[in-house]
């Protein structure tokens, strides 16, 4: 019997060959030989070694065993939180110096570009979970500075659920899949989460944020980022200033609506990852402003809250933001695992001129991240992985361990020593120094009195929102609590809301069908009135642009090519990416007989993937689509998700079938300018006509 062999059509161009501890990629050109990890060339990568053509496989097949063994070990433990993420390389550029406050070069050398690797994540779901659950987004930036790596490991929300690190495992166990049943994946809408929250009044401020549309971002390039905790900047004379770090997206803030986020999860599980991949590939690099809030100990002492409490923010109206730089993400990783998966952030990674505050949540984090990397990456040498290694020289006497990649020379591995003139030494002048801070008080497991106010900032957040955003918060609470089986948990949560806003509590109680408003629990501190802070809104921070947005044009046979071209031109000029959607990916034959290829087949390209849609149909095309559920859903969902719709006569016929009403967001396809203007926003006034919010 002749040997069955399937020739490999494209032998890998980029396999690795090992030489003395270094890995080399064969770049382009002629294909190199496919080898084992020992460098032995393979003659056959299609068939394992058998005793006869139909006989058992031989144990001696070292090629098969090596390949399968390596494959069996391809996965490493995923992150216990923030497992699902998108990462990209880029740079940070300082635009204003903080030399008055810090010695850190990254914050004093204006115009210098520092490489960064940024990882944007969801929190609760596993690595394979969808991109668009209602969830906080992690915002982790590794700055490869000249003075060592600085990791700013933040979130897209400026406050957190808990005040003390010792509560973190409980919080995460409560939000994760319930342990007996293994669901729900990546969702807060279940009993254990709300049980824990209802018994943890300090989480109420964060609850307002997570029930807002901040947890349903339209794009990762449209989220804010926050360092959350107060840090210190340390100046030349050793003086220190408190600082909060902020990232502000160049494209403005934008979120989806809940029903849209749910449908996106079905249409494209990788919605955010793909969006950033496409943006970087197209040269539309995601960009953020970097800003700081600086304040002194004296100012902090006068705040009506404790800045060391991570459930509190400092309103911009109290301490304005100073923009000091920008970050641009301009390079997709070469390899997802090597970079996005293996990158290891740690809030303890700081550089001279920056220091920690006593925030008890931050203090716990300083321990946790290194510990988790040891278990996740399996070796104390994970800092040698390229994405983790500093880009400045680093040298010490740490040695050996699993997966040691370095080959240090010489007999000296200690300090001080008299045997080596070149081994690294401590450098008192430029080395890292902690801020000299006096500590007083009694030791104990004590929560500071100044951490007792759990409701004032929750109220501040809620009252700072527009009426549309308030309605979304109320509706989200009703949705989530309706998924909770235990009535006492629903009631306990509604009781807390009474401290935040009586009207909110009433709306939620009504949405849950509660007969009476539950009693509010005792509050540990009185609720203070604070001046509303419009900076906490999303709607107020949407930018008047279509950059980073997508427009979908639905066509069918007989569509007017000129109308399609006019909309495409206007949308592209406004910065949007334009996609043609048709029944078949091959496209449709336009009125002039030309075939216009589609970017997406209608069944797989629903309108949830776009920010606004145009429907350009001939009478015949409209007739065809009237009986296509995907076409009817296309316009009905666009309408329900408050998007602008441009339609010509045929398009209007489809709108009618879909029972789509007429309003300011439904424009004539011939008026491209009106369409672009409407596409730049959501049609908030339409919402009461499409859904009952709480
Ligand atoms: Fe984390 N967190 N966290 N966290 N966190 C992790 O570290 C932890 C907290 C945040 O893209 C883990 O490498 C504790 C606040 C981000 O790789 C782990 C506490 C904030 C990421 C861990 C917190 C964050 C993590 C899991 C309470 C916003 C993803 C894997 C004291 C300021 C980073 C890992 C990335 C990841 C512990 C609270 C942000 C287990 C103990 C507050 C963005 O070490």
């Amino acid at each position: 019997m002749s040997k069955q062999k399937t020739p490999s059509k494209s032998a890998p161009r980029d396999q690795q060959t090992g030489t003395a501890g270094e890995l080399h990629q064969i770049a382009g050109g002629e294909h190199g030989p496919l080898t084992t990890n020992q460098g032995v060339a393979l003659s056959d990568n299609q068939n394992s070694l058998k005793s006869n053509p139909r006989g058992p496989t031989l144990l001696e097949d070292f090629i098969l065993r090596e390949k399968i063994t390596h494959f069996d070990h391809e996965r490493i433990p995923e992150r216990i939180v923030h497992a699902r993420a998108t990462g990209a390389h880029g740079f940070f550029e300082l635009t204003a110096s903080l030399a008055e406050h810090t010695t850190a070069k990254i914050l004093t050398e204006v115009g210098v570009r520092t490489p960064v690797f940024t990882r944007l994540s969801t929190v609760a779901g596993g690595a394979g979970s969808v991109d668009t659950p209602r969830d906080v987004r992690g915002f982790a930036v590794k700055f490869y500075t000249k003075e060592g790596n600085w990791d700013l490991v933040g979130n897209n929300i400026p406050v957190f659920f808990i005040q003390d690190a010792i509560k973190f495992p409980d919080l995460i166990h409560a939000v994760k899949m319930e342990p007996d049943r293994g669901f729900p994946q990546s969702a807060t809408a279940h009993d254990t989460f709300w049980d824990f929250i209802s018994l943890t009044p300090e989480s109420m401020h964060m609850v307002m944020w997570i029930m807002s549309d901040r947890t349903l971002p339209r794009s990762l390039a449209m989220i804010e980022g926050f360092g959350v905790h107060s840090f210190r900047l340390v100046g030349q004379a050793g003086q220190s200033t408190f600082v909060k770090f902020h990232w502000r997206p160049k494209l403005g803030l934008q979120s989806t609506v809940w029903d849209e986020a749910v449908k996106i999860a079905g249409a494209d599980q990788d919605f955010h990852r793909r969006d950033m991949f496409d943006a970087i590939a197209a040269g539309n690099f995601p960009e953020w402003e970097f800003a700081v809030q600086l304040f002194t100990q004296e100012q902090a002492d006068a705040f009506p809250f404790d800045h060391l409490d991570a459930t509190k923010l400092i309103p911009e109206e109290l301490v304005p933001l100073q923009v000091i730089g920008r970050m641009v993400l301009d390079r997709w990783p070469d390899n997802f695992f090597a970079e996005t998966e293996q990158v290891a952030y740690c809030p303890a990674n700081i550089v001279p001129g920056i220091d920690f505050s006593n925030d008890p949540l931050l203090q716990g984090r300083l321990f946790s991240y290194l510990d988790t990397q040891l278990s996740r990456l399996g070796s104390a040498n994970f800092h040698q992985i390229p994405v983790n290694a500093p880009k400045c020289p680093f040298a010490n006497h740490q040695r050996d361990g699993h997966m040691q990649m370095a080959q240090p020379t010489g007999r000296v591995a200690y300090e001080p020593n008299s045997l080596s003139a070149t081994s690294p030494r401590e450098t008192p002048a430029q080395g890292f120094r902690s801020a000299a801070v006096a500590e007083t008080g009694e030791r104990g497991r004590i929560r500071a009195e100044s951490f007792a106010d759990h409701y004032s900032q929750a109220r501040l957040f809620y009252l700072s929102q527009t009426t549309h955003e308030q309605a979304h918060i109320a509706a989200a609470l009703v949705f989530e609590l309706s998924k909770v089986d235990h009535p006492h948990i629903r009631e306990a949560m509604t009781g807390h809301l009474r401290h935040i806003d009586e009207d909110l509590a009433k709306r939620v109680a009504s949405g849950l069908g509660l007969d009476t408003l539950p009693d509010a629990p005792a509050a540990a501190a009185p609720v203070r009135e604070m001046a509303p802070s419009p900076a906490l809104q999303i709607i107020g921070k949407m930018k008047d642009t279509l950059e980073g947005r997508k427009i979908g044009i639905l066509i069918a046979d007989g569509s007017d090519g000129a109308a399609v071209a006019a909309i495409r031109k206007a949308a592209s000029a406004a910065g949007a990416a334009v996609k043609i959607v048709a029944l078949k990916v091959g496209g449709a034959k336009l009125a002039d007989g030309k075939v216009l290829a589609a970017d997406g087949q209608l069944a797989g390209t629903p309108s949830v993937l776009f920010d606004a849609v145009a429907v350009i149909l001939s009478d015949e095309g409209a007739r065809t689509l009237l009986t296509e559920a995907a076409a009817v859903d296309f316009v009905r969902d666009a309408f329900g998700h408050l998007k602008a719709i441009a339609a010509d006569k045929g398009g209007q016929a489809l709108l009618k079938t879909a029972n789509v009403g007429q309003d300011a967001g439904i424009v004539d396809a011939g008026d491209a300018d009106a369409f672009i203007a409407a596409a730049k926003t959501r049609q908030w006034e339409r919402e009461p006509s499409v859904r009952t919010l709480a």
Side-chain angles (χ1 to χ4, degrees), residues 79 82 86 88 92 94 98 106-107 114-121 137-145 148-158 223-233 242-248 288-294 321-322 324-327 329 343-351 353-357 359 362 365-366 369 373 387-388:
R79 289 161 173 80
H82 298 268
T86 296
F92 169 75
L94 193 72
L98 292 181
I106 175 97
L107 299 177
T114 301
V116 298
F117 187 79
T118 295
R119 189 173 179 278
L120 304 167
S121 46
R137 296 305 187 281
F139 199 119
V141 181
K142 190 180 282 295
F143 300 81
Y144 303 93
T145 90
N149 287 351
W150 174 33
D151 293 355
L152 187 56
V153 196
N155 279 342
N156 75 328
I157 289 179
I223 61 173
E224 293 184 332
F226 303 90
V228 177
H229 317 281
S230 296
F231 288 83
R232 285 174 187 275
L233 297 181
F242 287 117
V243 59
K244 292 250 189 196
F245 297 108
H246 298 248
W247 297 105
R248 290 284 152 101
W288 286 263
E289 280 179 348
F290 190 54
V292 290
Q293 283 178 299
L294 299 175
L321 262 63
Q322 301 175 36
I324 60 158
R326 67 186 189 118
M327 173 172 74
L329 299 183
V343 66
Y345 294 94
C346 178
N349 290 350
I350 51 170
V351 292
I354 304 178
D355 204 354
F356 313 115
S357 71
D359 175 340
L362 173 61
R365 295 180 72 205
L366 300 181
Y369 290 65
Q373 309 311 348
V387 72
N388 293 324

Side-chain angles (χ1 to χ4, degrees), residues 158-160 162-163 201-202 205-206 209 228-230 244 304-315 359 450-458 530:
V159 291
F160 202 65
I162 47 172
Q163 297 174 322
E202 71 207 55
H205 186 193
M206 182 72 168
W209 284 82
V228 177
H229 317 281
S230 296
K244 292 250 189 196
F305 49 83
D306 195 331
H307 75 105
L308 297 180
D309 169 0
T311 69
K312 305 294 185 298
L313 55 81
I314 304 180
D359 175 340
S450 52
F451 281 35
D453 175 3
H454 303 319
Y455 299 106
S456 302
Q457 288 211 353
M530 298 178 73

Side-chain angles (χ1 to χ4, degrees), residues 523-546:
V527 183
R528 289 168 187 266
E529 286 305 325
M530 298 178 73
S533 170
L536 303 181
Q537 296 170 7
I538 303 171
I539 291 182
K541 285 181 164 173
M542 229 174 133
K543 288 226 171 124
D544 191 27
T545 177
L546 282 188

